[in-house]
């Protein structure tokens, strides 16, 4: 009997991303927020498919697509071709979607992702341009359609089947979202459906080299449903195969409420989209000069930032990646570094990605809206590093600044959080503890010297954790020695 561990998942992802252009792919209609805008307020004859209208290619959309394709290291086709993908659905007024099929804009790219074993390269099969469909709203007994989204530029990024775990799928999807935001071509706002996934899933039996039969799960609109659907599908296929059955190639839907994939159509019923070149559009020409000018304007990419943080700043790959994934966080981090160049980058990184992130998460705001500025972190870490406050106090200070603003130095004064190093003050505390704990002192004098830890704890506690531990240890040792020698005399 085969077990689950004899099979490993194989996943190829198709990612659809709306492009943040001002106007639609083939007409002048504005691209509007699909959640906020009144339905059917940004539509015209072209994007509603009236006969006799002619589409025109949006150059800006091509430029955005080029940004992504170049960032992924793809080969760009100097000539690519738009095609008609024919099918009938109420959200598709023309009866066909204009897409790229045989000759896509770009092929053969690479996307580095973070895995538990470090970095892995996921091959990109193709990147092409198409147009989005309208949106259906199902009410009880009837449906409504909003064509605002109809004709919005859509980029499709298709990976090779190189993803071998659910974690890798997550990492790839997160990485792509991050890349699209860096390139300023997509808002990354998953709640608004601006990035959608289709997952192709098969499983590979140990020792087998040919890929297994795959199924394709359509319309996954969040990371969460994508992950759940893929996990479900892997389990389903493994249980079919391990009981001697065969996986059928089919298209599946994901039922979020039931938590299962459902067959939509089998291979036999597969759509014949009757692709043919779009007769109303010329081939899309992209010349070298254009390619090079787009390439020269690419920003530093998230995976390049990660590499730089590792190589130049000595961060761990993990720490670097956590900061680099969001451009505004990466910029915040680098600004904090600029304010305190002599501090170890690792410490700054750590305060941002643990304590500050926790506060941001709790308040559910982005780093740009926080009262904590890069210089706040720099100042805070400096205060800890030079020994003015301990880590516990620093957390209190950070939270205080997060809620009320201000500078860490002021807050340390205001809340009286500075470390107590004054030997006189600390000696007084030590003596008080010893005097008020005769039993423990006897225990100590009877040879159980471990109890000195208890005295130490008491001193830390009466000083609210602010006493300098090394000074306390030293004084405590002195005082205990003193008691011992007096015992010897007496
Ligand atoms: P289509 O969806 O039009 O059939 P392709 O055949 O090019 O397109 O494949 C689409 C996706 O399926 C790609 O992301 C590819 O990596 C993935 N894929 C192909 N074969 C497998 C497989 N055996 N297991 C998992 N994914 C696969
Ligand atoms: Zn229009
Ligand atoms: Mg497909």
């Amino acid at each position: 009997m085969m077990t689950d561990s004899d099979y490993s998942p194989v996943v190829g992802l198709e990612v659809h991303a709306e492009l943040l252009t001002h106007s639609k792919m083939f007409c002048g209609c504005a691209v509007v927020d699909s959640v906020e805008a009144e339905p059917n307020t940004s539509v015209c004859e072209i994007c509603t498919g009236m006969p006799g209208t002619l589409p025109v290619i949006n150059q800006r959309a091509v430029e955005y697509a080029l940004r992504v394709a170049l960032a992924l290291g793809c080969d760009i086709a100097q000539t690519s071709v738009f095609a008609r993908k024919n099918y009938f659905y109420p959200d598709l007024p023309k009866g066909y979607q204009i897409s790229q099929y045989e000759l896509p804009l770009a092929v053969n790219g690479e996307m580095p992702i973070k895995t538990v074993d470090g970095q892995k390269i996921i091959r990109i099969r193709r990147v092409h341009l198409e147009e989005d469909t309208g949106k259906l709203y199902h009410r009880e007994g009837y449906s409504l359609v909003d064509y605002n989204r109809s004709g919005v530029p859509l980029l499709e990024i298709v990976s090779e089947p190189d993803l071998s775990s659910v974690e890798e799928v997550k990492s790839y999807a997160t990485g792509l979202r991050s890349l699209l935001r860096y390139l300023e071509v997509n808002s990354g706002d998953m709640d608004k459906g601006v990035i959608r996934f289709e997952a192709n899933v098969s499983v590979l039996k140990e020792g087998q080299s040919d890929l297994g039969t795959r199924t394709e799960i359509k319309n996954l609109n969040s990371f969460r449903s994508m992950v759940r659907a893929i996990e479900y599908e892997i389990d389903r296929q493994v249980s079919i195969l391990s009981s001697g059955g065969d996986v059928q190639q089919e298209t599946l839907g994901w039922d979020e409420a039931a938590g299962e994939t459902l067959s939509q159509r089998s291979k036999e019923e597969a759509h014949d989209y009757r692709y043919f070149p779009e007769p109303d559009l010329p081939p899309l020409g992209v010349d070298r000069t254009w390619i090079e000018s787009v390439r020269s304007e690419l920003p530093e990419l998230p995976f390049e930032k990660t590499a730089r943080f590792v190589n130049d700043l000595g961060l761990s790959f993990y720490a670097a990646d956590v900061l680099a994934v969001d451009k505004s966080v990466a910029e915040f981090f680098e600004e904090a570094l600029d304010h305190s160049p002599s501090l170890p980058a690792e410490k700054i990184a750590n305060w941002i990605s643990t304590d500050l992130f926790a506060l941001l998460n709790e308040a559910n705001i982005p780093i740009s809206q926080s009262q904590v500025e890069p210089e706040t972190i720099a100042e805070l870490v400096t205060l800890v590093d030079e020994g003015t406050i301990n880590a516990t106090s620093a957390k209190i200070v950070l939270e205080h600044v997060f809620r009320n603003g201000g500078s860490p130095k002021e807050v340390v004064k205001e809340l009286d959080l500075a470390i107590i190093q004054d030997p006189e003050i600390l000696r007084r505390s030590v003596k008080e503890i010893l005097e008020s704990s005769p039993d423990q002192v006897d225990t100590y004098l009877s040879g159980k010297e471990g109890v000195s830890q208890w005295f130490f704890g008491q001193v830390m506690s009466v000083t609210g954790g602010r006493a300098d531990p090394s000074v306390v240890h030293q004084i405590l040792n002195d005082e205990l020695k003193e008691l011992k020698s007096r015992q010897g005399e007496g």
Side-chain angles (χ1 to χ4, degrees):
M1 166 97 197
M2 307 284 301
T3 63
D4 288 15
S5 58
D6 297 320
Y7 293 91
S8 49
V10 175
V11 179
L13 222 54
E14 298 168 56
V15 178
H16 289 97
E18 282 179 17
L19 296 176
L20 271 178
T21 49
H22 291 297
S23 58
K24 292 187 181 180
M25 188 66 222
F26 301 113
C27 64
C29 288
V31 171
V32 293
D33 187 309
S34 66
V35 175
E36 311 284 322
E38 274 291 297
N40 297 308
T41 49
S42 192
V43 292
C44 73
E45 304 83 343
I46 298 174
C47 55
T48 49
M50 298 297 161
T53 58
L54 283 175
V56 177
I57 299 172
N58 179 339
Q59 294 289 106
R60 185 54 66 86
V62 179
E63 184 192 320
Y64 283 8
L66 281 175
R67 276 190 206 166
V68 177
L70 289 169
L72 292 169
C74 291
D75 302 329
I76 310 295
Q78 302 222 26
T79 307
S80 58
V81 170
F82 285 99
R84 285 190 187 178
K85 180 180 182 179
N86 299 280
Y87 67 96
F88 281 100
Y89 207 66
D91 63 7
L92 192 71
K94 290 201 289 273
Y96 58 85
Q97 178 190 28
I98 303 179
S99 179
Q100 294 192 304
Y101 185 57
E102 277 172 4
L103 290 172
L105 178 69
V107 294
N108 292 336
E110 286 188 343
M111 168 84 188
I113 64 162
K114 177 182 67 167
T115 74
V116 281
D117 309 316
Q119 206 176 55
K120 174 173 171 181
I121 300 292
I122 303 305
R123 291 168 302 154
I124 304 296
R125 184 176 285 186
R126 54 189 277 150
V127 175
H128 74 241
L129 272 165
E130 55 188 39
E131 55 177 335
D132 211 342
T133 59
K135 242 172 127 174
L136 286 173
Y137 293 87
H138 301 289
R139 300 280 190 269
E140 271 169 59
Y142 64 100
S143 296
L144 297 169
V145 61
D146 174 8
Y147 289 121
N148 281 346
R149 204 180 67 179
S150 178
V152 166
L154 203 59
L155 194 67
E156 177 164 347
I157 304 162
V158 182
S159 84
E160 291 294 340
D162 288 349
L163 299 157
S164 6
S165 68
V166 172
E167 285 66 41
E168 288 186 15
V169 171
K170 261 193 266 187
S171 175
Y172 173 78
T174 315
L176 263 189
R177 174 176 180 265
S178 161
L179 182 67
L180 295 168
R181 296 183 70 204
Y182 262 71
L183 297 171
E184 294 175 4
V185 301
N186 180 287
S187 68
D189 201 343
M190 307 291 298
D191 292 344
K192 293 190 171 162
V194 298
I195 302 178
R196 299 171 322 252
F197 307 99
E198 284 170 23
N200 295 269
V201 180
S202 66
V203 294
L204 195 60
K205 198 158 114 184
E206 203 186 289
Q208 182 184 315
S209 56
D210 291 343
L211 293 186
T213 305
R214 71 178 155 115
T215 56
E216 177 170 4
I217 318 167
K218 291 271 186 199
N219 300 325
L220 300 167
N221 294 345
S222 67
F223 286 118
R224 194 180 119 84
S225 352
M226 176 178 65
V227 166
R228 286 182 73 203
I230 294 174
E231 278 170 346
Y232 177 89
E233 189 53 22
I234 293 168
D235 286 349
R236 191 186 70 87
Q237 293 186 12
V238 168
S239 78
I240 291 176
L241 293 173
S242 55
S243 58
D246 289 316
V247 172
Q248 300 305 313
Q249 183 171 343
E250 59 188 338
T251 303
L252 305 170
W254 171 245
D255 184 335
E256 182 73 45
E260 44 185 54
T261 55
L262 301 169
S263 182
Q264 287 188 337
R265 52 190 128 83
S266 66
K267 194 181 177 185
E268 288 71 42
E269 312 161 283
H271 271 145
D272 176 4
Y273 291 117
R274 295 172 291 121
Y275 280 101
F276 61 87
E278 166 60 65
D280 290 340
L281 285 173
L284 172 60
V286 176
D287 63 23
R288 286 260 156 264
T289 328
W290 194 11
I291 296 175
E292 289 321 314
S293 99
V294 173
R295 195 198 305 277
S296 70
E297 280 163 26
L298 289 181
E300 186 181 30
L301 304 172
F303 32 85
E304 293 169 344
K305 258 199 212 307
T306 303
R308 181 165 60 80
F309 289 172
V310 171
N311 297 329
D312 298 1
L313 303 176
L315 296 191
S316 72
F317 180 64
Y318 180 82
D321 182 83
V322 164
L323 297 170
V325 79
D326 184 332
K327 199 184 204 170
S328 51
V329 171
E331 282 167 2
F332 183 102
F333 165 64
E334 295 204 70
E335 247 184 81
L337 274 186
D338 287 345
H339 282 284
S340 49
S342 60
L343 286 176
E346 193 195 329
K347 288 195 181 163
I348 306 250
N350 203 32
W351 276 96
I352 295 173
S353 60
T354 54
D355 299 90
L356 181 56
F357 274 16
L359 292 165
L360 293 170
N361 271 341
E362 193 196 314
N364 196 20
I365 54 168
I367 203 160
S368 56
Q369 275 174 34
S370 155
Q371 304 204 59
V372 172
E373 301 289 334
E375 47 268 51
T376 318
I377 295 292
E379 196 176 305
L380 186 77
V381 179
T382 306
L383 289 171
V384 179
D385 205 56
E386 68 193 17
T388 307
I389 53 173
N390 62 30
T392 315
S393 303
K395 283 180 208 284
I396 299 171
V397 173
L398 183 64
E399 185 162 351
H400 197 273
V401 176
F402 185 81
R403 308 220 183 281
N404 313 298
S407 93
K409 274 189 193 147
E410 289 162 16
V411 176
V412 167
K413 271 201 204 122
E414 195 185 321
L415 303 183
D416 196 17
L417 287 171
I419 282 184
I420 308 167
Q421 284 171 313
D422 186 335
E424 272 177 40
I425 299 177
L426 293 177
R427 193 171 296 274
R428 221 176 297 142
S429 301
V430 169
K431 283 188 161 160
E432 275 167 25
I433 296 293
L434 292 176
E435 275 156 25
S436 60
S437 325
D439 293 351
Q440 285 79 0
V441 170
D442 283 348
T443 309
Y444 179 84
L445 293 175
S446 74
K448 294 192 179 132
E449 300 195 350
V451 78
S452 71
Q453 259 320 106
W454 183 84
F455 293 126
F456 174 77
Q458 293 298 302
V459 178
M460 292 310 283
S461 150
V462 297
T463 53
R466 287 160 47 225
D468 184 325
S470 62
V471 181
V472 176
H473 270 301
Q474 209 185 330
I475 294 174
L476 189 58
N477 281 344
D478 287 355
E479 293 297 322
L480 289 170
K481 238 186 240 159
E482 173 77 22
L483 284 177
K484 233 185 183 164
S485 65
R486 259 191 258 152
Q487 182 197 31
E489 287 162 14

